[in-house]
């Protein structure tokens, strides 16, 4: 049955060096439940290592978790990747890791904590997750699609790390599934500022617990998975974006 | 100053648009944010950047820039080269960093004033 599902598909965890250490799987799941979110997208910078813990932590709250990543292209454009399984996210992670130079400096950028569902520290990720991969934006989108994921350009209204700030305008040949605008820009404003044919979504880009759900997109769909969301973005079979 | 003269003095390698080197260069602009180049570069500027994405050609065309210097031995991809040739935008390459080539370009143009 088709129903309205509230999605915040851009949430960081304590694995992202710039995110709050309080962003543990159970705290995120609890907060999402409080904010009446149905679908969570877990998108740490260039890594998906906290996805399994989140899937487990979200079970008791009956939340849908979409495993994902926020990939940094060589142009320093951020692209959200969303999948249905952790395995698919890990396939993308492997490609990104193979093209991600550098080592993290905790003092400069922050800690990168891999945890279990109870929030217990399993290890520290040593890679430079805040850095840019050597993959072009086209290659990032192609790779996401090759693993059947959704590719969404992050916060295109921001002055840094967005498709528009880095590349001036949205390359028309880029096969994006949607564009994301940040909570500070309204949908009407975004539509007039970035005139194009891609569907618009808005998510929180939460780095702190209180930011979760600050911006959401409601989809009229049957299930909280990428195939249903893809149909909603394309306005197919009665699926749609309600906002 | 003519683009051809700058190319010779700064030992730039011409990658595309060999027949568009007689343009008068009005100054330089150094930036890797294409949104910034669209907002702040001026007609006839020689643009110094490390970006190699094909959007650089559209920006150069839109702003009527004299050419683009790609720094740090970076190699533009095939699509960018093809677009540059089609749109007749001179793509120039240097092994120097943005800092060094911008400094050299600045000195060269100042000496001609």
């Amino acid at each position: 049955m088709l129903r309205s599902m509230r999605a915040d598909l851009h949430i960081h965890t304590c694995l992202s060096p710039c995110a709050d250490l309080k962003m543990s799987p159970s705290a995120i799941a609890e907060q999402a439940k409080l904010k009446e979110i149905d679908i969570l997208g877990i998108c740490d910078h260039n890594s998906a290592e906290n996805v399994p813990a989140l899937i487990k932590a979200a079970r008791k709250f009956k939340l849908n978790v979409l495993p994902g990543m926020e990939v940094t292209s060589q142009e320093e454009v951020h692209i959200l990747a969303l999948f249905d399984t952790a395995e698919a996210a890990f396939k993308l992670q492997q490609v990104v890791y193979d093209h991600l130079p550098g080592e993290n400096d905790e003092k400069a950028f922050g800690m990168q904590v891999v945890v279990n569902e109870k929030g217990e520290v399993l290890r520290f990720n040593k890679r430079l997750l805040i850095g840019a991969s050597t993959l072009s934006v086209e290659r990032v989108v192609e790779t996401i699609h090759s693993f059947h994921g959704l590719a969404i350009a992050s916060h295109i209204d921001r002055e840094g790390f967005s498709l528009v700030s880095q590349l001036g305008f949205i390359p028309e040949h880029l096969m994006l599934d949607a564009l994301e605008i940040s909570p500070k820009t309204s949908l009407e404003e975004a539509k007039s500022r970035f005139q194009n044919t891609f569907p618009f979504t808005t998510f929180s880009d939460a780095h702190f617990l209180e930011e979760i759900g600050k911006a959401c997109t409601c989809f009229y769909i049957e299930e909280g998975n990428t195939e249903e969301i893809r149909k909603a973005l394309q306005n197919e079979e009665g699926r749609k974006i309600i906002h | 100053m003519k683009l051809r003269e700058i190319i010779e003095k700064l030992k730039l390698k011409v990658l595309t648009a060999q027949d568009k080197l007689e343009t008068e260069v009005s100054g330089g602009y150094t930036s890797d944010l294409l949104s910034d180049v669209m907002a702040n570069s001026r007609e006839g500027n020689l643009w110094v950047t490390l970006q190699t994405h094909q959007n650089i050609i559209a920006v150069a065309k839109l702003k009527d820039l004299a050419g683009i210097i790609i720094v740090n031995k970076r190699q533009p991809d095939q699509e960018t080269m093809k677009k540059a040739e089609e749109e007749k935008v001179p793509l120039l390459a240097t092994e120097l960093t943005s800092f060094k080539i911008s400094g050299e370009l600045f000195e060269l143009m100042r000496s001609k004033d």
Side-chain angles (χ1 to χ4, degrees):
Chain A
M1 193 185 69
L2 288 167
R3 60 196 157 124
S4 169
M5 295 186 88
R6 209 164 124 84
D8 187 350
L9 301 183
H10 188 172
I11 296 174
H12 291 265
T13 77
C14 51
L15 174 58
S16 292
C18 43
D20 195 12
L21 289 174
K22 291 187 189 121
M23 293 292 265
S24 70
S26 56
I28 290 171
E30 198 178 337
Q31 189 68 18
K33 194 72 194 172
L34 274 173
K35 299 278 168 67
E36 298 175 340
I37 291 165
D38 303 300
I39 316 168
L40 281 181
I42 299 305
C43 296
D44 281 307
H45 292 295
N46 297 313
S47 182
E49 290 186 41
N50 270 350
V51 161
L54 242 133
I55 292 172
K56 283 184 194 157
R59 264 182 209 146
K60 73 168 175 180
F61 297 101
K62 298 204 164 41
L63 294 163
N64 293 281
V65 173
L66 297 186
M69 281 170 68
E70 186 173 32
V71 183
T72 311
S73 76
Q74 69 174 1
E75 301 87 0
E76 303 204 348
V77 172
H78 286 181
I79 303 284
L80 294 177
L82 294 155
F83 301 95
D84 288 319
T85 63
E87 289 68 37
F90 287 144
K91 281 184 193 166
L92 174 66
Q93 175 182 275
Q94 192 52 54
V95 176
V96 172
Y97 279 0
D98 289 344
H99 295 86
L100 188 70
E103 214 173 279
N104 188 38
D105 179 336
E106 290 190 350
K107 282 199 185 105
F109 304 115
M111 285 197 267
Q112 302 180 157
V113 197
V114 182
V115 293
N116 64 15
E117 68 276 19
K118 294 175 197 149
E120 294 162 347
V121 177
L122 297 178
R123 59 187 179 273
F124 293 91
N125 186 305
K126 298 283 178 218
R127 295 171 194 271
L128 186 59
L129 298 183
I130 203 76
S133 73
T134 56
L135 301 164
S136 70
V137 70
E138 282 80 6
R139 180 93 188 272
V140 171
V141 172
E142 278 166 24
T143 309
I144 295 168
H145 285 157
S146 73
F147 302 131
H148 309 291
L150 294 173
I152 301 176
S154 301
H155 42 62
I156 59 157
D157 54 317
R158 268 184 43 183
E159 281 173 21
F161 301 108
S162 85
L163 193 54
V164 176
S165 73
Q166 305 307 113
L167 293 181
F169 57 94
I170 299 158
E172 54 189 32
H173 58 272
L174 205 57
M175 302 296 282
L176 292 164
D177 295 292
L179 308 172
E180 180 208 44
I181 50 169
S182 76
K184 68 178 175 132
T185 302
S186 72
L187 191 64
E188 292 69 39
E189 211 181 312
K191 279 184 177 163
S192 70
R193 214 168 112 198
F194 310 102
Q195 287 172 352
N196 64 75
T197 53
F198 293 109
F200 282 93
T201 58
T202 179
F203 306 119
S204 71
D205 190 9
H207 285 68
F208 294 85
L209 284 174
E210 58 271 23
E211 292 172 344
I212 294 172
K214 203 172 165 188
C216 288
T217 298
C218 284
F219 296 106
Y220 193 61
I221 48 182
E222 257 182 14
E223 301 284 340
N225 60 39
T226 59
E227 196 41 46
E228 285 287 304
I229 292 172
R230 193 192 311 274
K231 283 180 188 165
L233 293 170
Q234 295 302 322
N235 242 326
E236 288 171 8
E237 298 171 33
R239 277 80 170 164
K240 57 189 175 184
I241 305 172
I242 315 178
H243 284 295
Chain B
M1 185 181 269
K2 286 264 194 294
L3 182 57
R4 183 181 296 282
E5 195 180 342
I6 295 174
I7 289 166
E8 280 163 16
K9 294 263 167 63
L10 301 186
K11 301 189 179 66
L12 303 171
K13 188 177 164 198
V14 181
L15 302 176
T16 58
Q18 291 280 358
D19 51 346
K20 280 280 287 180
L21 308 181
E22 300 308 322
T23 323
E24 195 65 33
V25 176
S26 61
Y29 197 79
T30 304
S31 177
D32 301 320
L33 285 182
L34 276 63
S35 51
D36 170 57
V37 178
M38 282 166 74
N40 297 313
S41 65
R42 300 276 169 79
E43 186 183 335
N45 280 179
L46 190 49
W47 173 19
V48 179
T49 185
L50 52 70
Q51 292 278 15
T52 54
H53 190 273
Q54 57 175 285
N55 272 21
I56 62 175
I57 308 306
V59 171
K61 193 78 189 160
L62 177 81
K63 299 291 290 191
D64 248 324
L65 304 180
I68 308 171
I69 302 179
I70 308 286
V71 301
N72 263 2
K73 303 180 203 167
R74 290 210 181 204
Q75 179 63 37
D77 50 53
Q78 280 308 313
E79 208 49 47
T80 306
M81 299 275 278
K82 201 175 127 218
K83 273 234 156 72
E85 208 57 77
E86 280 168 15
E87 299 289 343
K88 303 213 173 303
V89 173
L91 273 180
L92 313 163
T94 178
E95 300 199 342
L96 300 180
T97 63
S98 289
F99 176 74
K100 285 186 180 158
I101 199 71
S102 299
E104 287 192 9
L105 179 61
F106 183 84
E107 281 302 321
L108 180 63
M109 295 200 69
R110 189 167 64 170
S111 70
K112 282 277 174 174
D113 278 346

